[in-house]
């Protein structure tokens, strides 16, 4: 159903006189969508700021408020799969109109007002509706507004040549010129894999006057020029998505501005990502097919020179109860208290704790270092075994303890000389001997007496007489009561 839209300002005045949309928003919506429209609880709920779901055809948002929404919905490329409860019974038509008018004119949204009559008509037309809407249903009835291409009049030129720095394009002749109607830069449809360069030209839109920041990432080199002035550059040869991404800023007046992006691919992988932000833009606006990795504050959890550090939170690749240890010398362990086994070991940096400190424990944090090796993916002790905690020595090195009947298995870890972890296993107070898998996720083979190869990067060393047996390419260790076994994990 099409409805008449009032001019924005007149409707706003009318709505403001009747109802305070901002105050109503605070009462009815902000608990979930946030006072700033960005989604409450650090983005667990979808944003209304800049959301195409609230813009354009007002019936879409009216229906969501009246009857609720459930199932997967995509907002800014992120899929939510939650429930919004229906509000139609609780909020009268004039108040829904006031809220949506407010929302559609706030936080970068710029859509016409919603009148009480529109809400009334939508409510009447859907009086029989008992269930919440789904996103696909709404998209069929009220497609999202099509937005202008991020870079208008975009063209690309391709050049062939063996360059390791950006060449002087004015001296070169392009092999091919193409129009890029989607308005996004992208290297994936180049005409060769290596040894080429690209130049894109087009126009970007500054919604308001002010300072705009451009974030660029590339494999290999790239730079951005606006009005012919360099704004940011990723120089030389190197990979994408690491610490090479660069930001640069420029002052622009409201309106359109010529942009030029130069790009160079030497060998191997090829990629470019570019985004802009500034006044009138909600978050980062993508100017490339590929998204730019956001800048994220890094809060590295690190050991001191002579003491290990503990990290107890969700670690990627480890069962929920993970206990992480970063040891001096750049070796690390994530022990699973569910599996009573070392899950991951790795070298280099330990853990970036920023996610958990900022967002209060959402999601898993991956190890920050390199050469991550998964030692165990399941339990390594019999089902009756119970985790009994861990003790630290004076250097912060842990000894994990598991109870087996009346006995205990002590599993002590400390750093070795370099790129090494030393593990001491002791079976204590128990009568029975015990066999445990040493690496249930890695193919293992004997290299020399007392030396085994685990997977690709790891060597396991033990006393020659240690009872390690290989079966089907997996290593099993036999432990006898009261006889400690020392194992050394060494990265090659
Ligand atoms: C109890 C929490 C809650 C309240 C209160 C709530 N919403 Fe929602 N809203 C959600 C959830 C959850 C979704 C996503 C549902 C899904 O995943 O299918 C959503 C989705 C939306 C969407 C579509 C997605 C988007 O980001 O644009 C709009 C529009 C919306 N809500 C508007 C409102 C308005 C306006 C109010 C106040 C009248 C409101 N909501 C109150 C939880 C809530």
């Amino acid at each position: 159903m099409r409805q008449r839209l009032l001019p924005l300002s007149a409707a706003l005045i009318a709505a403001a006189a009747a109802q305070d949309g901002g105050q109503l928003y605070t009462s009815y919506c902000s608990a979930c969508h946030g006072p700033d429209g960005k989604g409450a609880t650090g983005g667990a709920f979808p944003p209304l700021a800049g959301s195409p779901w609230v813009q354009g055809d007002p019936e879409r948002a009216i229906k969501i408020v009246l009857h609720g929404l459930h199932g997967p919905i995509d907002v800014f490329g992120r899929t939510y799969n939650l429930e919004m409860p229906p509000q139609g019974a609780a909020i009268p038509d004039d108040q829904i109109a006031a809220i949506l008018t407010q929302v559609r004119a706030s936080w970068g949204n710029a859509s016409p007002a919603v009148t009480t009559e529109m809400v009334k008509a939508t409510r009447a037309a859907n009086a029989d509706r008992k269930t919440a809407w789904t996103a696909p249903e709404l998209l069929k009835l009220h497609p999202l507004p099509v937005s202008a291409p991020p870079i208008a009049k975009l063209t690309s030129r391709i050049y062939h040549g063996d360059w390791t720095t950006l060449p002087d394009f004015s001296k070169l002749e392009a092999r091919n010129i193409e129009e890029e109607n989607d308005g996004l830069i992208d290297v994936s449809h180049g005409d060769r894999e290596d040894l080429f360069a690209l130049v894109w030209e087009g126009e970007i839109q500054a919604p308001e006057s002010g300072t705009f920041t451009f974030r660029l990432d590339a494999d290999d080199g790239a730079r951005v020029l606006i009005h012919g002035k360099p704004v940011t550059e990723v120089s030389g040869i190197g990979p994408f998505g690491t610490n090479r991404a660069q930001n640069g800023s420029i002052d622009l007046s409201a309106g359109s501005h010529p942009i030029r992006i130069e790009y160079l691919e030497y060998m191997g992988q090829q990629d470019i990502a570019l985004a802009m932000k500034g006044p009138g833009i909600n978050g980062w606006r993508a100017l490339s097919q590929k998204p730019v990795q956001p800048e994220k504050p890094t809060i590295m959890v690190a050991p001191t020179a002579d003491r290990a550090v503990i990290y107890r939170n969700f670690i990627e690749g480890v069962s929920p109860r993970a206990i992480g240890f970063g040891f001096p010398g750049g070796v690390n362990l994530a022990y699973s208290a569910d599996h009573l086994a070392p899950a991951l070991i790795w070298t280099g940096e330990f853990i970036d704790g920023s996610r958990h400190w900022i967002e209060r424990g959402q999601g898993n944090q991956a190890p920050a270092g390199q050469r991550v090796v998964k030692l165990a993916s399941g339990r390594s002790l019999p089902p009756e075994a119970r985790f009994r905690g861990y003790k630290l020595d004076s250097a912060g090195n842990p000894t994990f303890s598991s109870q087996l009947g009346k006995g205990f298995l002590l599993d002590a870890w400390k750093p070795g000389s370099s790129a090494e972890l030393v593990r001491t296993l002791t079976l204590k107070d128990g009568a029975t001997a015990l066999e445990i898998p040493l690496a249930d996720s890695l193919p293992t083979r004997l290299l020399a007496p007392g030396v085994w190869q685990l997977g690709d990067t790891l060597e396991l060393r033990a006393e020659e007489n240690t009872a390690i047996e290989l079966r089907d390419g997996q290593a099993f260790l036999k432990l006898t009561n009261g006889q400690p076994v020392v194992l050394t994990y060494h990265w090659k």
Side-chain angles (χ1 to χ4, degrees):
M1 179 191 318
R2 286 266 152 252
Q3 281 144 345
R4 202 166 52 88
L5 304 180
L6 283 183
L8 180 57
S9 53
L12 262 178
I13 294 162
Q19 295 288 349
D20 181 343
Q23 209 160 341
L24 290 166
Y25 175 83
T26 305
S27 318
Y28 289 114
C29 321
S30 75
C32 299
H33 294 289
D36 55 1
K38 291 198 173 133
T41 64
F45 290 94
L48 303 183
S51 164
W53 294 88
V54 304
Q55 331 253 9
D57 186 347
E59 236 186 295
R60 191 187 320 103
I62 297 174
K63 284 177 170 171
I64 293 176
V65 174
L66 285 175
H67 308 113
L69 184 71
H70 78 124
I73 177 171
D74 198 273
V75 188
F76 294 125
R78 177 168 159 192
T79 306
Y80 299 82
N81 191 354
L82 303 166
E83 295 280 338
M84 170 164 155
Q87 317 271 314
I91 321 179
D93 294 346
D94 58 338
Q95 296 194 356
I96 292 177
I99 293 171
L100 288 178
T101 297
Q102 173 82 20
V103 166
R104 280 157 61 91
S106 306
W107 320 300
N109 298 343
S111 288
V114 175
T115 64
T116 306
E117 288 66 41
M118 292 175 189
V119 181
K120 197 170 279 166
T122 306
R123 195 194 282 273
N126 299 277
D128 295 338
R129 185 150 192 119
K130 299 271 180 319
T131 55
W133 296 93
T134 65
E137 247 182 312
L138 288 172
L139 284 180
K140 235 181 255 161
L141 297 165
H142 316 285
L144 298 183
V146 204
S147 44
I151 306 178
K153 304 175 193 162
L154 183 64
T155 59
S156 67
R157 285 158 211 265
I158 190 155
Y159 301 84
H160 290 180
D162 184 349
W163 302 292
T164 54
T165 55
L166 286 164
D168 179 356
F169 289 97
S170 69
K171 300 209 168 80
L172 300 171
E173 197 163 329
R175 296 277 175 146
N176 192 17
I177 304 176
E178 272 181 38
E179 283 178 24
E180 310 287 358
N181 294 324
D182 63 353
L184 292 168
I185 62 171
D186 177 22
V187 294
S188 67
H189 50 258
D191 62 347
R192 53 154 76 177
E193 295 272 291
D194 294 322
L195 304 178
F196 67 89
L198 278 159
V199 173
W200 291 272
E201 286 182 309
E203 285 173 12
I204 48 159
Q205 198 68 26
E208 295 166 25
S209 300
T211 305
F212 290 81
T213 302
F214 291 78
R215 182 164 173 80
L216 175 69
D217 193 358
D219 175 341
D220 292 293
R223 67 174 181 156
V224 174
L225 303 102
I226 290 170
H227 290 287
K229 263 207 327 232
V231 175
T232 181
E233 173 160 1
V234 172
S235 55
I237 305 300
F240 181 85
T242 52
N243 334 345
R244 299 205 324 134
Q246 297 292 328
N247 288 1
S249 296
I250 187 171
D251 288 340
L252 298 174
S253 56
S256 71
H257 301 274
I259 186 170
R260 175 184 168 97
I261 303 116
E262 302 177 347
Y263 168 80
L264 149 81
E265 161 61 5
Y266 181 59
M267 296 279 194
Q269 292 281 94
Q270 53 200 62
D271 259 318
I272 189 165
L274 178 64
M276 69 185 282
K277 73 172 180 188
I281 300 176
N282 180 46
W284 286 98
R285 174 187 289 169
L287 302 177
S288 58
Q289 259 322 321
K290 182 134 187 159
V292 185
Q293 307 232 331
E295 288 167 289
K296 108 182 142 101
T298 304
I299 307 170
M300 215 42 92
V301 184
T304 59
D306 53 6
R307 196 178 164 84
V309 65
I310 307 183
Y311 178 84
R312 298 207 56 167
N313 217 318
F314 298 107
I315 301 176
E316 205 169 284
V318 187
S319 66
R321 284 199 296 159
I323 310 167
F325 284 86
F327 298 99
V331 283
N332 310 284
L333 162 72
Y335 186 91
S336 164
D338 298 302
H339 295 156
L340 311 167
L344 303 177
I345 56 176
W346 67 98
T347 63
E349 306 234 65
F350 177 40
I351 287 270
D352 172 5
S354 54
R355 181 200 290 254
H356 292 133
W357 292 349
I358 291 167
E359 294 184 9
R360 281 172 292 142
Q362 290 170 20
N364 286 334
Q365 191 64 55
Q370 305 88 38
R371 300 193 285 179
V372 182
V373 175
K374 185 164 205 152
L375 284 182
S377 53
R379 270 177 86 94
S380 61
L381 295 182
E384 68 274 15
R386 291 285 169 273
F387 185 61
R388 289 290 178 237
Y390 56 90
K391 283 206 173 85
L392 303 180
D393 69 10
S394 60
N397 299 321
T399 297
F400 302 99
S401 169
S402 298
Q403 188 165 12
L404 289 141
K406 287 203 185 77
F408 287 89
L409 175 67
L410 302 181
D411 191 351
W413 292 76
K414 62 178 187 190
S417 50
S418 80
E420 262 177 24
L421 273 167
V422 179
R423 179 185 192 188
T424 306
L425 286 149
T426 313
L427 195 59
K428 205 177 84 155
D429 308 336
T432 46
L434 180 67
E435 188 182 76
I436 59 170
L438 284 180
D440 69 6
S441 313
L442 293 173
T444 305
R445 65 194 169 89
L446 188 64
L447 290 180
V451 187
W452 291 263
Q453 164 105 31
L454 299 185
D456 297 329
T457 55
L458 206 64
E459 241 173 54
L460 174 70
R461 296 176 190 161
E463 295 270 311
E464 247 179 71
N465 57 0
T466 306
I468 294 180
E469 204 182 289
L470 282 186
R471 291 199 302 270
D472 300 328
Q474 306 263 280
F476 295 87
L477 170 68
K478 264 214 180 74
L479 286 164
T480 318
N481 201 34
Q483 286 182 4
V485 168
V486 180
L487 304 174
T488 303
Y489 297 88
H490 175 85
W491 281 266
K492 295 199 293 186

